[in-house]
Structure formats: C-alpha cells, structure tokens
C-alpha cells in the first residue's frame, strides 16, 4: 500500500448577504419591472455607504445557520467575504466565529476588496 487514501476535495459554499437597509424599496421596484436607471436612482437615494442588515436580513443569516449549521456548514475552514458590514454580519450569523479552544484548526476569516458590490444590479 502506498498510503494513498483517495482524492482530496474541498467544498465551496456561496452565500449572498441578507437584506440591507438600502434594498427593500429598490427591490420592490425591480420586481415591478422598473428600469435599471430607476432602480439605481432608488438605491442611490436610500444608500448608506456600508448599509447594515435589516431585521429581516439578520433573520436570513440566522436561518442559514439553523437550516444548515449542523450539516453543510460543519467543518468550514475558511470564510471569505466582502469587507462590507452586511456581508460580514451575514457570515457571522450563518457561521459564528469559531469558539474552539483547539488552536490547531482555527476557522480563518478573510475580507477581499474585490468582492465588494460595485453596481447594485
């Protein structure tokens, strides 16, 4: 036996941030068929540079944890996120930072500027 156990695999899970305070009005208009320009104008009017989650957005993050926490999210080694607070908060709600005392396998968190939303559509 050469010690080969089999292929090494990694799972990649993608999660969009929960609803943020700048989303509801523009999302309703988009669902009603508004133009891109009107959508963007509503986003600009309601924009907060780093819009926090709404109560619904927080519930959405918690729902991910409740539905998938003991199965799909088990054993996550790395969380990569946009630096926006809505993305960080959603990640923390869905997958709370590790409280393990075993420092040999800490859960790492990394923010990537290129993951920042740039056009809102």
């Amino acid at each position: 036996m050469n010690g080969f156990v089999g292929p090494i695999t990694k799972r990649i899970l993608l999660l969009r941030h929960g609803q943020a305070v700048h989303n509801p009005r523009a999302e309703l208009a988009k669902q009603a068929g508004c133009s891109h320009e009107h959508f963007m104008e509503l986003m600009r009017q309601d924009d907060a540079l780093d819009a926090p989650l709404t109560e619904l957005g927080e519930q959405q993050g918690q729902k991910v944890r409740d539905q998938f926490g003991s199965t799909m999210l088990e054993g996550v080694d790395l969380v990569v996120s946009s630096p926006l607070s809505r993305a960080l908060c959603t990640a923390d709600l869905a997958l709370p930072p590790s409280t393990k005392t075993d420092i040999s396998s800490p859960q790492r968190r990394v923010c990537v500027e290129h993951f920042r939303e740039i056009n809102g559509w």
Side-chain angles (χ1 to χ4, degrees):
M1 181 134 222
N2 64 6
F4 180 75
V5 178
I8 297 174
T9 60
K10 295 284 184 180
R11 291 178 303 141
I12 298 175
L13 308 171
L14 302 175
L15 175 65
R16 186 183 189 279
H17 65 75
Q19 183 188 68
V21 297
H22 71 298
N23 295 133
R25 192 167 69 125
E27 286 175 355
L28 285 174
K30 183 178 177 182
Q31 289 172 0
C34 75
S35 69
H36 178 71
E37 292 75 24
H38 182 66
F39 173 84
M40 292 304 294
E41 179 56 31
L42 291 173
M43 290 290 283
R44 275 188 283 279
Q45 289 172 8
D46 295 345
D47 191 28
L49 179 61
D50 190 6
L53 294 176
T54 62
E55 185 175 327
L56 174 61
E58 291 177 4
Q59 292 169 359
Q60 291 167 333
Q62 292 166 353
K63 185 175 181 180
V64 170
R65 181 186 65 225
D66 294 344
Q67 288 185 331
F68 303 109
S70 62
T71 56
M72 190 176 287
L73 300 178
E74 190 65 33
V76 170
D77 296 320
L78 176 65
V79 175
V80 182
S81 172
S82 156
L84 294 172
S85 63
R86 59 184 172 265
L88 293 168
C89 186
T90 301
D92 286 348
L93 289 166
L95 192 68
S98 180
T99 57
K100 295 179 186 176
T101 56
D102 177 12
I103 60 170
S104 65
S105 60
Q107 179 193 87
R108 296 184 316 146
R109 292 179 179 267
V110 176
C111 290
V112 177
E113 182 63 31
H114 291 295
F115 288 1
R116 181 184 295 267
E117 182 175 326
I118 58 170
N119 66 5
W121 186 252

